[in-house]
Amino acid sequence: MQGTFTVKSRYLENESRSYIVVSVQDQEVLQVVSVTRSTPNTTHFLVVVQTHSPGDTAWRVQLWDHARNLTALTLVIILPVVLLNKCAFGCKIEPEILCGMWWKPLPVIFGAAIQFILMPFRGFLLTRVWQLPQALAFGFILTCTCPGGGGGYLYTLLLDGDIITLAISMTCSLTVLSLFAMPAV
């Protein structure tokens, strides 16, 4: 027995590139015959499936809409601006202070060890205690790995620390380091 269904994207063709992925767990029960666009200028897809033998199976239809206006060039332009905004957090960053971190790197090394080793491990332990599902646990551990700035500035201020040199330098350096360390975690 053969059947057809339509998957419609909410985006117009001139605004996005839509892709569809159809996967079936048991190919003997259900098989995907074809996946095509209904017409060349739309983002609607026709999926033809065929059953071979009676039974139950799990199948998944994933529609991916990638907006054209958020291209790689846009990301290359936006990410440095976001990085500078996160590093600055309303404070002035002096290049001399950032260069001084190269001569006294112990606070940055200590902060990086806490941020990229201790924090993900703590997140892992909490996911086990709370018995989170795998996808939620992954997101929680990843969030624990992300460097933050606002809370650190507040605690530095409350403890009479030097906000400009230590907190801003740590946020800036850990944010840049996180581009390489987070995928490794």
Side-chain angles (χ1 to χ4, degrees):
M1 186 164 128
Q2 196 168 19
T4 304
F5 64 93
T6 304
V7 179
K8 297 181 179 182
S9 172
R10 64 183 175 153
Y11 293 106
L12 299 174
E13 181 61 30
N14 59 359
E15 294 176 357
S16 71
R17 286 175 269 162
S18 297
Y19 305 95
I20 189 169
V21 177
V22 181
S23 57
V24 178
Q25 185 177 9
D26 188 357
Q27 296 284 329
E28 292 180 16
V29 175
L30 183 69
Q31 186 177 15
V32 178
V33 177
S34 66
V35 178
T36 57
R37 288 188 184 271
S38 57
T39 61
N41 294 328
T42 65
T43 54
H44 305 311
F45 296 91
L46 294 174
V47 180
V48 179
V49 292
Q50 184 174 14
T51 59
H52 293 286
S53 61
D56 292 332
T57 185
W59 59 301
R60 176 182 294 170
V61 178
Q62 295 176 309
L63 178 65
W64 300 91
D65 289 315
H66 301 284
R68 289 182 192 256
N69 56 2
L70 193 59
T71 61
L73 180 61
T74 306
L75 289 176
V76 169
I77 294 170
I78 290 176
L79 286 177
V81 173
V82 170
L83 181 67
L84 287 175
N85 183 36
K86 180 164 177 53
C87 293
F89 199 74
C91 299
K92 180 180 176 185
I93 298 177
E94 297 176 7
E96 297 83 26
I97 293 172
L98 291 176
C99 291
M101 289 188 315
W102 289 105
W103 303 111
K104 296 180 181 177
L106 191 59
V108 176
I109 293 170
F110 184 66
I114 290 173
Q115 187 68 49
F116 300 117
I117 297 171
L118 187 62
M119 293 293 286
F121 182 68
R122 184 195 72 169
F124 173 76
L125 291 178
L126 287 174
T127 61
R128 293 296 175 222
V129 169
W130 295 333
Q131 298 177 353
L132 296 176
Q134 186 177 7
L136 192 58
F138 176 74
F140 186 78
I141 293 169
L142 191 63
T143 302
C144 289
T145 309
C146 295
Y153 299 141
L154 177 63
Y155 289 121
T156 304
L157 181 64
L158 290 175
L159 296 172
D160 292 327
D162 188 1
I163 294 175
I164 298 299
T165 56
L166 182 60
I168 301 294
S169 301
M170 288 298 294
T171 300
C172 182
S173 61
L174 289 180
T175 300
V176 172
L177 186 61
S178 70
L179 295 172
F180 306 102
M182 285 180 69
V185 171

